[in-house]
Amino acid sequence: MTPAPESLALEARGLTKRFGSLAAVDDATFTTPQNTITGLLGRNGAGKTTLMRLITGQEFPTSGTVRLFGAKPVENAAVLQHTCFISEAQRYPDEFRIKHVLAGAPRFFANWDADFAAQLVDEFRLTPKQRIKKLSRGQRSAIGVIVGLASRAPLTIFDEPYLGLDAVARQIFYDRLLADYSEHPRTVILSTHLIDEVSQLLEHALVIDQGRIVIDAPVEELRSSAATVSGTTEAVERFITGREVAHREQLGGLLSATVAAMDDADRAAARTAGLEVGPVSLQQLIVRRTGGFTTPSTTTYEEATA
């Protein structure tokens, strides 16, 4: 099975998974085009891991559907052989050494690149003879990163791949991911808490909060849509009246507010009003967005201060 270039890598419609009364994933609907790097972002317990297990056919949905390359993933070897899911919870037999993991990988991944895997083993300062159960948490994470990158699977999913990796090792991962993705495009889903650290890698952001998809948008669109306006409390309050405000910080007579949607005309108007307009990082935007936007106010500044 070779996915058509024009097709979607992933499509979810009303995808729901309940554990008793808890909806771990709640009516998730989204699509992921092929050959993109998507960040699956959200707080601990938001539903990220359950969503990835649904995507890869390891959980049955309570309702809704999921398609990988147009087909159901559950018990579908033709689909799953084009998918690589790297989980922090991956376990290996006690007697396994790194060389056993690398030797077995070609049976699961048709695009496996043994030379690339060997290069990554060196870069992460591992040796093929090392026993898996003797490795540190960071070294085990490195094995997952190596398998995920060298698999070159059409859909590669990393679940918290950085756990235990030091800053140097994480940078190796990011650099190799971006370089190899450029030479061998595929669809990558990266679940992580280190939003600012990976923000330059991401083309698309999928944010889940309490089981529901709250953001599904290109990263550049998100970055350009929000802004922080700062100035005197009176001037800022006047400007943000009727706008969605994600966050506000008061310091004496000064106020800073993060506004959800700001086009060029809005930014110009803010500057004309004597306000400073600044960018919002992807992490700030997502943290503030999952905290909930305020309802646009219909109360004027004069009414609020009367």
Side-chain angles (χ1 to χ4, degrees):
M1 171 188 150
T2 302
E6 300 80 11
S7 66
L8 294 170
L10 171 61
E11 181 179 16
R13 298 292 175 194
L15 192 61
T16 299
K17 179 63 178 181
R18 291 188 174 276
F19 298 98
S21 61
L22 173 66
V25 175
D26 189 4
D27 195 28
T29 296
F30 61 92
T31 59
T32 303
Q34 290 191 46
N35 302 334
T36 56
I37 300 179
T38 294
L40 177 58
L41 313 171
R43 300 173 64 179
N44 286 331
K48 300 190 300 299
T49 297
T50 301
L51 180 57
M52 287 182 284
R53 290 180 61 83
L54 289 168
I55 290 170
T56 54
Q58 297 176 57
E59 292 278 2
F60 290 90
T62 303
S63 60
T65 61
V66 61
R67 297 283 190 276
L68 301 186
F69 308 114
K72 292 182 179 179
V74 176
E75 298 178 351
N76 190 334
V79 171
L80 295 179
Q81 72 181 26
H82 292 278
T83 303
C84 178
F85 178 36
I86 301 300
S87 170
E88 188 271 333
Q90 180 68 46
R91 296 293 180 264
Y92 300 97
D94 285 347
E95 69 275 12
F96 257 41
R97 301 176 186 270
I98 293 175
K99 65 180 181 180
H100 297 136
V101 176
L102 303 183
R107 290 182 292 179
F108 300 97
F109 308 115
N111 299 329
W112 178 259
D113 188 325
D115 291 338
F116 186 32
Q119 173 193 329
L120 291 169
V121 167
D122 288 340
E123 291 192 31
F124 283 108
R125 298 185 177 181
L126 300 172
T127 59
K129 292 183 179 181
Q130 287 177 283
R131 297 186 68 173
I132 303 294
K133 72 175 186 177
K134 298 286 188 179
L135 300 180
S136 68
R137 187 182 192 185
Q139 289 173 318
R140 291 196 299 271
S141 292
I143 292 174
V145 165
I146 291 167
V147 172
L149 291 176
S151 73
R152 295 207 175 117
L155 175 60
T156 304
I157 302 174
F158 292 98
D159 183 9
E160 308 284 11
Y162 59 82
L163 292 178
L165 295 180
D166 59 30
V168 173
R170 293 200 305 273
Q171 192 60 53
I172 291 172
F173 168 50
Y174 303 146
D175 290 346
R176 296 300 167 266
L177 170 61
L178 193 57
D180 201 62
Y181 170 79
S182 298
E183 292 187 19
H184 304 277
R186 64 265 207 190
T187 306
V188 177
I189 296 177
L190 182 62
S191 170
T192 179
H193 290 94
L194 301 180
I195 301 173
D196 273 349
E197 197 167 283
V198 303
S199 62
Q200 297 306 312
L201 299 174
L202 304 181
E203 299 169 271
H204 200 90
L206 191 66
V207 182
I208 186 169
D209 188 40
Q210 295 183 319
R212 301 187 68 87
I213 302 298
V214 295
I215 296 178
D216 179 9
V219 168
E220 285 307 314
E221 179 182 303
L222 287 172
R223 285 198 182 102
S224 63
S225 66
T228 298
V229 293
S230 304
T232 64
T233 298
E234 179 178 357
V236 172
E237 290 286 8
R238 287 180 185 278
F239 180 77
I240 64 177
T241 297
R243 302 176 187 271
E244 282 189 312
V245 177
H247 182 75
R248 61 172 68 207
E249 291 183 7
Q250 184 83 45
L251 181 62
L254 301 177
L255 177 63
S256 176
T258 301
V259 181
M262 291 271 288
D263 59 22
D264 290 342
D266 292 327
R267 294 167 194 267
R271 293 187 179 98
T272 299
L275 302 177
E276 293 185 12
V277 180
V280 181
S281 74
L282 183 62
Q283 178 161 305
Q284 288 175 319
L285 181 61
I286 290 172
V287 167
R288 292 169 182 176
R289 183 66 180 266
T290 54
F293 281 111
T294 60
T295 303
S297 174
T298 56
T299 303
T300 65
Y301 174 73
E302 289 80 1
E303 290 170 334
T305 57

